[in-house]
Amino acid sequence: MTLKPLLFATAVILVVGAPLRAAAPADRVFRAGAATSNITPPLGASLDGYIAQGTRATRVHDELHARCLVLDDGRTRLALVVVDNTMIAREIHERAKALVPAATGLMPGRILISATHTHSTPRAVPLHGDAAEREYQEFLARRIADGIQRAVSNLAPARIGWGAVARPEFVFSRRWHVKPEARVPNPFGETGDQVLMNPGVGRAGLLGPSTQPDPELFILSVQHADGRPLAVLANYGLHYVGGTGAGAISADYFGAFAELLAQRIATPLQDPPFVGLMANGTSGDINAVDFSRPPGPPAAPYARIREVAGQLAESAEQVYRKIKHEAWVPLAMAESDLPLAVRRPTAERLAWAKQVWSEVKDKSRLTRRDVYARETLSVADFPDQVPLKLQAIRVGGLGIAAAPCEVFASTGLEIKARSTLRPTFTISLANGYNGYLPTPRDHQLGGYETWLARSSYLEVEASEKIRDELLRLMTIVAESVR
Ligand SMILES: [Zn+2]
């Protein structure tokens, strides 16, 4: 099965945006401030997830940060924060926003916080419920709030612009159609899944990828009024890269990109320091492995991270050098809470889960089947509906849409194509964590991202409802009267 050519399949196309031309009102100055806040946990922190059982942190390859950018058009002030964490529960986001002092002028509804989805960090979601977990999550919230406050302290006259380039080399569908005879049972013992997640390079029986990735590397650049770089917020739809060492803490390619871009465009020890941010786009079904090619030689730890981050930083610099920065653009932000239904296990599945879980002898050594039995029981206790925090931001003519899920690439591409604001980019894993967001078609295909668990529990139509609500919010911010 082959897919139609990509939107920008072959050539690297550079698109530099012309911000919506708006004369700066005489009394308004555009200002921006950026700062980072170190959020590295102590060694010994648990690297467990809902599904994957990790280890404890025994080393730090690179420090973790909350990277904060505050924009102010003279009337509206808003904050964009990218946090080196796999996923952050809504309560922790809300705790962080509540800790931002009112004196900063930033109400919770003007703060967008997202997790990058690096897998080499603790998961900031309720897992073990122990003191160490609670302590780190409180520390994380406080450090995020500190970072926002520090970015506000750095507010200075600034100018802003954006551009984009296609980098299809590092984004591939991680869900592949498999021939009926090559299908494998899922953890519930069923064999109806038509796709396999991360099937392995060179695996027999693969038919083709289930989706088209979004290859766009988007760059939002903020400079000081004198042209010195202040911050760059990049956006790319790549799950994460991985290939880190065992027990190591790392910000994955998201952190490496920020570091390498700073080396390219900023001055060392600049005051205040330049801040790079890489926000995760819509990458729920996308990773950096091309399963259609024969496997290459095994890479050393961090080698692939350096390669991806290095090449994207090079592209980001090329885009950055061509951006025409504007002295003033209007800002607007809107958010809403969208109630969505929770999928329920069938009575039969629930009985299966209770049976399997009752037979588990050692709860520290779970099989995949045991994990999904536990997950089934966890989701069975969920409320019937959960509210999802959705946000839209307008920066001049640019739109930013944010959702608290691992959004699939097709949903992101649709939001980009249908948004009132052009261009628009999307940020996943923002303001909460509500699991994977497969489309109804993906639910039909089955596979890991659709298996009922705390990592996938929203109603089958959730992706369409979220898309529609984000498009509605985008129209609101686009039409906001200045
Ligand atoms: Zn994920």
Side-chain angles (χ1 to χ4, degrees):
M1 186 175 302
T2 51
L3 290 161
K4 284 183 209 138
L6 289 168
L7 211 55
F8 335 70
T10 49
V12 170
I13 301 165
L14 192 72
V15 185
V16 177
L20 187 76
R21 298 263 171 183
D27 60 330
R28 291 191 217 167
V29 175
F30 194 85
R31 295 193 301 154
T36 62
S37 182
N38 190 311
I39 56 163
T40 311
L43 293 183
S46 166
L47 302 176
D48 281 348
Y50 286 136
I51 309 298
Q53 295 169 78
T55 53
R56 293 195 173 268
T58 54
R59 64 184 72 189
V60 176
H61 176 265
D62 52 280
E63 302 280 334
L64 307 180
H65 295 91
R67 304 164 199 273
C68 310
L69 171 61
V70 172
L71 304 176
D72 187 319
D73 70 357
R75 179 180 291 174
T76 299
R77 179 175 292 183
L78 54 88
L80 293 137
V81 183
V82 177
V83 183
D84 293 324
N85 196 287
T86 322
M87 55 192 62
I88 303 173
R90 177 170 171 147
E91 308 83 77
I92 300 165
H93 283 285
E94 289 182 351
R95 175 79 178 133
K97 291 175 189 181
L99 286 168
V100 175
T104 60
L106 283 164
M107 298 297 111
R110 292 288 173 273
I111 302 172
L112 189 171
I113 305 173
S114 69
T116 59
H117 211 48
T118 164
H119 276 40
S120 311
T121 73
R123 271 71 162 163
V125 290
L127 269 176
H128 303 291
D130 56 20
E133 180 181 292
R134 285 197 303 275
E135 201 176 310
Y136 181 64
Q137 292 178 358
E138 174 65 13
F139 165 79
L140 179 63
R142 287 195 169 273
R143 295 299 288 162
I144 292 171
D146 269 11
I148 295 171
Q149 207 177 337
R150 287 158 63 176
V152 170
S153 305
N154 288 340
L155 276 169
R159 52 194 211 177
I160 190 162
W162 49 86
V165 65
R167 285 309 308 257
E169 301 92 326
F170 306 119
V171 280
F172 301 95
S173 175
R174 70 177 205 178
R175 286 161 55 83
W176 276 62
H177 295 276
V178 282
K179 291 179 181 166
E181 62 271 25
R183 287 178 193 163
V184 290
N186 66 23
F188 313 104
E190 303 159 346
T191 51
D193 286 355
Q194 299 169 48
V195 295
L196 202 53
M197 184 269 278
N198 288 340
V201 176
R203 185 193 181 100
L206 295 184
L207 290 166
S210 75
T211 195
Q212 292 185 11
D214 174 0
E216 186 171 67
L217 169 66
F218 200 94
I219 303 297
L220 172 63
S221 165
V222 187
Q223 293 182 332
H224 290 277
D226 61 7
R228 283 175 302 133
L230 191 156
V232 165
L233 168 62
N235 180 256
Y236 192 55
L238 170 56
H239 215 80
Y240 71 106
V241 173
T244 52
I249 282 171
S250 170
D252 202 276
Y253 97 95
F254 309 95
F257 170 86
E259 189 80 20
L260 293 172
L261 184 60
Q263 287 174 16
R264 284 178 170 276
I265 67 173
T267 310
L269 303 180
Q270 183 180 304
D271 179 35
F274 166 84
V275 175
L277 312 86
M278 171 58 89
N280 203 323
T282 45
S283 65
D285 50 353
I286 304 298
N287 74 15
V289 182
D290 182 356
F291 294 104
S292 69
R293 296 199 175 170
Y302 308 100
R304 183 72 169 152
I305 285 176
R306 281 195 298 273
E307 184 194 357
V308 174
Q311 292 213 29
L312 293 179
E314 186 182 345
S315 288
E317 181 186 3
Q318 286 167 7
V319 175
Y320 169 79
R321 301 275 177 218
K322 293 194 168 80
I323 290 174
K324 185 184 176 315
H325 293 77
E326 298 288 316
W328 187 88
V329 296
L331 301 173
M333 185 163 181
E335 68 170 31
S336 67
D337 265 311
L338 179 69
L340 290 175
V342 170
R343 296 201 317 276
R344 291 292 176 201
T346 60
E348 192 187 352
R349 176 72 66 79
L350 198 54
W352 168 87
K354 283 179 181 159
Q355 178 68 28
V356 170
W357 192 243
S358 71
E359 287 166 3
V360 172
K361 295 215 168 56
D362 180 355
K363 295 204 163 51
S364 68
R365 295 166 64 101
L366 300 179
T367 64
R368 195 178 68 145
R369 185 166 163 264
D370 300 338
V371 165
Y372 276 90
R374 182 197 64 201
E375 290 301 309
T376 302
L377 299 174
S378 295
V379 176
D381 285 339
F382 274 27
D384 290 339
Q385 275 197 338
V386 289
L388 269 75
K389 178 75 76 191
L390 301 177
Q391 290 181 333
I393 290 179
R394 169 189 174 180
V395 180
L398 167 69
I400 303 171
C405 300
E406 301 189 52
V407 184
F408 277 33
S410 59
T411 300
L413 285 167
E414 219 183 327
I415 291 169
K416 285 183 172 186
R418 291 174 52 190
S419 174
T420 312
L421 290 171
R422 304 287 179 83
T424 281
F425 70 82
T426 53
I427 298 181
S428 290
L429 296 142
N431 304 306
Y433 180 70
N434 298 90
Y436 281 101
L437 188 64
T439 64
R441 170 184 171 267
D442 287 295
H443 274 289
Q444 261 180 5
L445 295 174
Y448 164 73
E449 298 85 350
T450 69
W451 297 339
L452 186 67
R454 284 175 291 177
S455 56
S456 178
Y457 61 85
L458 295 176
E459 58 179 290
V460 170
E461 293 77 27
S463 68
E464 297 178 342
K465 293 182 179 178
I466 288 171
R467 174 202 64 204
D468 291 349
E469 177 63 5
L470 286 171
L471 290 171
R472 189 185 73 84
L473 291 173
M474 200 58 78
T475 302
I476 290 172
V477 293
E479 291 173 354
S480 61
V481 180
R482 304 299 309 170

